[in-house]
Amino acid sequence: MMARIELQQLQHSYLARPKSAADYALKEVNHTFDDGGAYALLGPSGCGKTTLLSIISGLVTPSEGKILFNGEDVTERSTEQRNIAQVFQFPVIYDTMTVAQNLAFPLRNRRLPEDEINRRVAEILEMIGLTDRADRRARRLTADQKQKISLGRGLVRSDVNAILFDEPLTVIDPHMKWQLRSQLKQLHRRFGYTMVYVTHDQTEALTFADTVVVMYEGQIVQIGTPSQLFEKPRHTFVGYFIGSPGMNVLPVELDGRTARLGGSAVELPGSIEVGQGSTIELGIRPEYLRLGREGLPTRITKIEDIGRRKIVHAELEGHEVAVIVPEHEEIPADPRLSFDQRGINLYADSWRLELEP
Amino acid sequence: MDRTWNNKAWFLVLPVLLLVAFSAIIPLMTVVNYSVQDTFGNNVFFWVGVEWFEELLHSPRFWQALLRNLIFSAIILAIQIPLGVFIALNMPRRGWGVSVCLVLMALPLLIPWNVVGTIWQVFGRVDIGLLGYTLARLGINYNYVQDPLAAWVTVIVMDIWHWTSLVVLLCYAGLVSIPDAYFQAAKIDGASRWSVFRYIQLPKMNRVLLIAVLLRFMDSFMIYTEPFVVTGGGPGNETTFLSIDLVKMAIGQFDVGPAAAMSLVYFLIVLLVCWVFYTVMTNYGEESGR
C-alpha cells in the first residue's frame, strides 16, 4: 500500500537561471526512503529540508533529477496524483466544517460512496482519538487537536503513498509535543506508513525516526540511525548539530598515530595518510572527554550544572572544549583532560576520515 | 467594587465633547427644531407638532424615493459584491502585477465624486460622449436625459465603475492573509477550484465582506453627488433618490419643516441598518472567536 520513494540526482534552485552552487537550495540529492520507514529530515533553517519535502509532495517541481514512487517516475505528476498526505507547520483545517466533515473532505473530493466515507471517517476518528468531538466545529479545537485533524485528513485516504510532516509540532504546547510524538510513533508501528518528518529539533528527529537524514547547506551530509549520528558523525556539522552540547572540534596536525594540538599530543585509535593542504580536525563529544589527574593540562572556565550531570567548559591549548562530568564526580583542583579513544573522529576538510587500525 | 472618582477626568473629555456637540449634536437639534415648526418667512416660526412627519409618511413622493433608493442599493450590492470578489480572486498574489493591480484598483476611488459624475455625464452624451455616441451609431436607443432605463443603467454602471474597487481591495486584503499552506493542503486533499473558494477563501473573507456590504449599502443609500451631476434626478423623478429629493425639498423649495422631518426619518433608517449590521458583525465575531 505504501511506497518506496527514490530521489535521483535531485537538484533544485528557486532562481530561473542558477549560476553557481550557492544558487541551489538543494544540491544533488540521491536517496531512497524505504517502504514503511520512519525518516526524519533534520537540519537548521534554510538547509533545504522543506524544499526537499515539497519536491516529494509535488508542491515544487525540481530543477533537475527524478522522483520515483515504487519505481514509477512521478516527477511531473501533480500533488493530487501522487497520493501523499502532508501535515504542515501550522494546522490547516477547514474552519466552517465539523471535525468529521474535515476528515471526509478528501474522500468527498474523490467522490467515494457515502457509506464508505462514513466508515473511513469513523475509523480515523478512532485512530486520532477525536471520536467524541466528531460533530464539533473544527475551529473550536486546540492546536494539537487541529494538527491531528490535518493528519487525519491524510490518513483517511486508503491509497496514501507516504505521510509528510513539515515541523508539525511548532505550535504545540511543550507537554503535548511529547504525547503527540509518541502517538505518531504508535501509528507508524501499527500501520506501517512511510513517514518523512522535517524538523530542526534533534530530540524530535531522534525520538521519531529510525533513520535520520541530516541536511546542511542544501546537501545531505549524513544518513543514519540516531546512534550512528552520535558516535560517527560523517561531517563536523553533524557532530556540532547533534548532541547537547555538540561535538568538540579541534584543529590538529597528524603525525602517524598521534594528533598534535599545539604543544599537546593526543593518541589516535588508528592512522591514516592525508594529502597536503587539507584542514585536519579532531572531533570528540563532551561525553568522551574525562577530567582527572592524568592527561593534558587544562583550565576550567565555567561549570554548568544541569541536574543529572555537569557541563564543564575548559580551555585546551587556547581552544574551548566542553566536557560532560557525572553529577557526583569530583573535579580535581589541578585538572587534566584525557581523550577516550572510542570517541575520537578525524576530519579532513570537515568530512570524516576512516582510520586504519 | 472600589473605584476612585476623579472629576478632573471630565476636563480631559471636554474637548471631544465640545467637538461632538458643535459638529453633530447641535446641528441635529436644529433639524429636530425645524421638523416640529412651520414658517412663512421673516424668521417667524410656529409649532406644528408631528404634522410634518405625518405628512411625510403619507406622501407617495417620499415612498417612491425610498423605494428607488432601496432598489438602487440592492442592484449595486448584487453586482459589486460578486464582481469585487471575482476580481480579487483573480488578482496576482505576488510579483510585479500586485502593485500594478492595486494602483489601477485604487484610481477610481481617488477621483472626487462630482468629477466622477462629470466624467460619466460627458462620456454618456449622445452628441460628443464616447459611450453615448458609439451606442447611438450602433443603433442602440440610448439617451440618459430622456430614457429612464438609460438613466438608471448609466447611474448604476457609474457606481460600479467608481466603487467596485473598494470591494476588491477589501476582499484582496482578506485573501492575501490566507497562508499558502491552506492552498497546498487543499491541493493534497484534491479540492476543486470551487471547494477552495467555498471552504477556504470565502470563510476567510466573510468578515471583510460584511464590512464591504455595510459600506457599500451606506454609501449607495446616501448617494447624491454622482447622479445629481449626471441626471439631476431625472428624467422626471426617475433617478431622484432620497438625498436628491431631500435637497430639492430643503433648498429648492425651501420647505424647511418637511425637509427636516425627512432628514430625521432618513437618519433613523440609516441608523437602524447600521445597528443591524453592527449586531450581525459582533455576533459573528463572537461565534468565530477562539
Side-chain angles (χ1 to χ4, degrees):
Chain A
M1 180 181 86
M2 287 279 156
R4 188 180 75 245
I5 301 169
E6 282 169 77
L7 310 175
Q8 294 181 348
Q9 278 126 40
L10 218 55
Q11 291 194 50
H12 187 69
S13 171
Y14 286 104
L15 304 175
R17 283 183 210 84
K19 289 180 192 83
S20 65
D23 288 345
Y24 281 88
L26 203 62
K27 292 164 201 155
E28 176 104 23
V29 169
N30 289 296
H31 181 60
T32 302
F33 296 101
D34 283 325
D35 187 4
Y39 293 87
L41 291 179
L42 177 65
S45 309
C47 72
K49 55 193 194 300
T50 300
T51 304
L52 185 54
L53 198 74
S54 305
I55 289 176
I56 298 173
S57 63
L59 295 169
V60 168
T61 311
S63 312
E64 280 154 58
K66 276 197 255 181
I67 316 155
L68 281 66
F69 283 11
N70 286 334
E72 204 180 324
D73 189 347
V74 298
T75 318
E76 298 298 324
R77 281 202 207 157
S78 72
T79 302
E80 198 191 336
Q81 292 166 325
R82 289 189 198 189
N83 282 328
I84 45 92
Q86 186 162 353
V87 179
F88 295 89
Q89 197 167 1
F90 299 98
V92 175
I93 50 142
Y94 301 106
D95 279 347
T96 52
M97 299 187 198
T98 65
V99 174
Q101 284 167 341
N102 256 281
L103 295 177
F105 188 62
L107 302 182
R108 295 234 159 86
N109 290 332
R110 286 169 175 77
R111 303 191 190 288
L112 259 66
E114 201 63 18
D115 53 333
E116 167 86 8
I117 293 178
N118 292 337
R119 197 178 53 74
R120 291 288 302 164
V121 168
E123 210 173 291
I124 298 302
L125 280 169
E126 178 76 47
M127 205 190 268
I128 58 176
L130 289 176
T131 307
D132 53 334
R133 290 188 172 76
D135 296 321
R136 290 269 289 273
R137 281 290 181 102
R139 68 162 168 250
R140 301 275 180 108
L141 302 186
T142 57
D144 55 294
Q145 289 168 337
K146 284 183 184 172
Q147 211 48 319
K148 284 186 191 172
I149 297 175
S150 310
L151 172 65
R153 275 207 318 272
L155 299 177
V156 79
R157 283 147 45 196
S158 52
D159 56 353
V160 161
N161 279 322
I163 305 170
L164 311 177
F165 299 88
D166 188 0
E167 312 206 18
L169 302 182
T170 309
V171 291
I172 310 294
D173 286 343
H175 70 283
M176 287 304 300
K177 276 189 188 182
W178 192 261
Q179 205 183 326
L180 212 55
R181 205 161 54 214
S182 52
Q183 284 174 348
L184 280 183
K185 189 107 197 164
Q186 261 175 8
L187 280 180
H188 179 251
R189 284 209 201 92
R190 260 179 73 193
F191 302 100
Y193 297 115
T194 308
M195 288 183 171
V196 181
Y197 189 108
V198 160
T199 178
H200 60 253
D201 181 333
Q202 53 166 310
T203 323
E204 269 178 38
L206 299 177
T207 51
F208 171 82
D210 312 325
T211 309
V212 179
V213 178
V214 185
M215 294 190 66
Y216 178 56
E217 291 185 339
Q219 268 177 301
I220 292 180
V221 284
Q222 185 166 10
I223 300 163
T225 62
S227 85
Q228 282 168 342
L229 297 181
F230 191 80
E231 304 288 346
K232 293 187 167 60
R234 261 191 71 212
H235 189 277
T236 48
F237 172 77
V238 180
Y240 149 82
F241 196 70
I242 290 171
S244 172
M247 187 168 69
N248 299 300
V249 178
L250 304 162
V252 293
E253 273 164 40
L254 279 187
D255 183 8
R257 291 178 75 94
T258 343
R260 297 203 179 279
L261 172 69
S264 309
V266 180
E267 203 179 320
L268 300 176
S271 64
I272 191 165
E273 286 298 315
V274 183
Q276 288 289 311
S278 43
T279 312
I280 308 293
E281 286 163 312
L282 183 149
I284 185 156
R285 291 204 174 271
E287 287 82 355
Y288 288 105
L289 283 173
R290 304 267 177 274
L291 274 177
R293 297 187 195 290
E294 285 161 31
L296 308 173
T298 183
R299 194 171 63 81
I300 291 171
T301 52
K302 194 167 78 181
I303 299 179
E304 288 174 80
D305 196 329
I306 53 168
R308 300 292 300 276
R309 52 203 194 151
K310 284 181 268 198
I311 300 171
V312 178
H313 297 270
E315 213 178 82
L316 177 69
E317 299 286 346
H319 299 282
E320 204 198 300
V321 292
V323 186
I324 286 180
V325 178
E327 185 66 26
H328 302 298
E329 207 171 281
E330 281 298 313
I331 298 168
D334 181 23
R336 282 171 170 269
L337 201 58
S338 55
F339 288 58
D340 188 329
Q341 297 262 311
R342 287 171 301 159
I344 292 178
N345 288 292
L346 272 187
Y347 296 89
D349 296 329
S350 300
W351 292 96
R352 186 170 179 275
L353 300 168
E354 207 58 59
L355 295 180
E356 285 152 27
Chain B
M1 247 212 284
D2 271 339
R3 267 193 206 167
T4 327
W5 288 96
N6 188 346
N7 288 322
K8 279 180 198 152
W10 287 105
F11 284 106
L12 299 176
V13 286
L14 197 63
V16 175
L17 206 66
L18 284 175
L19 207 69
V20 172
F22 277 100
S23 69
I25 300 172
I26 295 174
L28 187 66
M29 284 308 121
T30 60
V31 175
V32 173
N33 189 36
Y34 283 137
S35 74
V36 290
Q37 301 190 70
D38 196 3
T39 180
F40 295 111
N42 294 334
N43 230 5
V44 182
F45 287 90
F46 53 91
W47 174 262
V48 294
V50 294
E51 206 174 292
W52 295 133
F53 290 94
E54 277 173 14
E55 194 186 292
L56 178 79
L57 295 179
H58 290 108
S59 118
R61 176 176 158 183
F62 169 73
W63 290 109
Q64 278 164 10
L66 178 62
L67 184 68
R68 271 196 291 273
N69 216 149
L70 287 174
I71 292 173
F72 176 72
S73 292
I75 291 175
I76 65 118
L77 280 179
I79 297 173
Q80 285 180 5
I81 299 294
L83 185 64
V85 171
F86 179 78
I87 295 173
L89 284 174
N90 287 292
M91 268 167 67
R93 267 168 72 87
R94 51 178 65 86
W96 57 269
V98 175
S99 31
V100 173
C101 284
L102 288 179
V103 169
L104 282 179
M105 282 298 141
L107 265 177
L109 298 175
L110 300 175
I111 301 174
W113 299 2
N114 51 351
V115 176
V116 172
T118 313
I119 290 173
W120 282 82
Q121 206 258 351
V122 175
F123 190 44
R125 276 174 68 167
V126 186
D127 49 352
I128 55 166
L130 185 63
L131 177 73
Y133 184 75
T134 314
L135 287 177
R137 288 297 297 266
L138 288 173
I140 296 164
N141 184 19
Y142 168 84
N143 188 340
Y144 65 79
V145 184
Q146 290 161 6
D147 180 15
L149 182 67
W152 268 82
V153 169
T154 311
V155 172
I156 285 168
V157 171
M158 173 177 64
D159 199 77
I160 291 166
W161 178 83
H162 192 184
W163 286 111
T164 306
S165 304
L166 181 75
V167 182
V168 173
L169 293 179
L170 282 169
C171 291
Y172 187 69
L175 284 175
V176 289
S177 69
I178 304 174
D180 278 343
Y182 276 82
F183 299 108
Q184 296 174 342
K187 244 191 217 174
I188 290 168
D189 290 339
S192 62
R193 184 71 194 83
W194 167 251
S195 294
V196 170
F197 173 70
R198 170 72 187 77
Y199 297 112
I200 298 175
Q201 292 170 319
L202 198 58
K204 295 277 172 194
M205 260 195 307
N206 56 11
R207 299 189 110 195
V208 285
L209 270 179
L210 257 170
I211 295 171
V213 170
L214 174 68
L215 289 177
R216 285 315 303 129
F217 176 78
M218 288 301 153
D219 263 346
S220 62
F221 197 66
M222 299 188 287
I223 191 165
Y224 175 75
T225 319
E226 301 103 307
F228 179 76
V229 174
V230 177
T231 65
N237 274 335
E238 285 298 335
T239 55
T240 300
F241 302 120
L242 280 174
S243 57
I244 296 179
D245 199 26
L246 182 61
V247 173
K248 270 186 191 166
M249 197 187 287
I251 296 167
Q253 301 156 225
F254 217 74
D255 284 338
V256 182
M262 186 180 166
S263 304
L264 287 175
V265 173
Y266 197 176
F267 174 60
L268 286 177
I269 296 172
V270 173
L271 208 64
L272 179 76
V273 175
C274 259
W275 176 78
V276 169
F277 266 103
Y278 180 78
T279 314
V280 169
M281 256 194 294
T282 45
N283 278 355
Y284 184 79
E286 266 163 37
E287 198 218 335
S288 67
R290 35 201 84 213

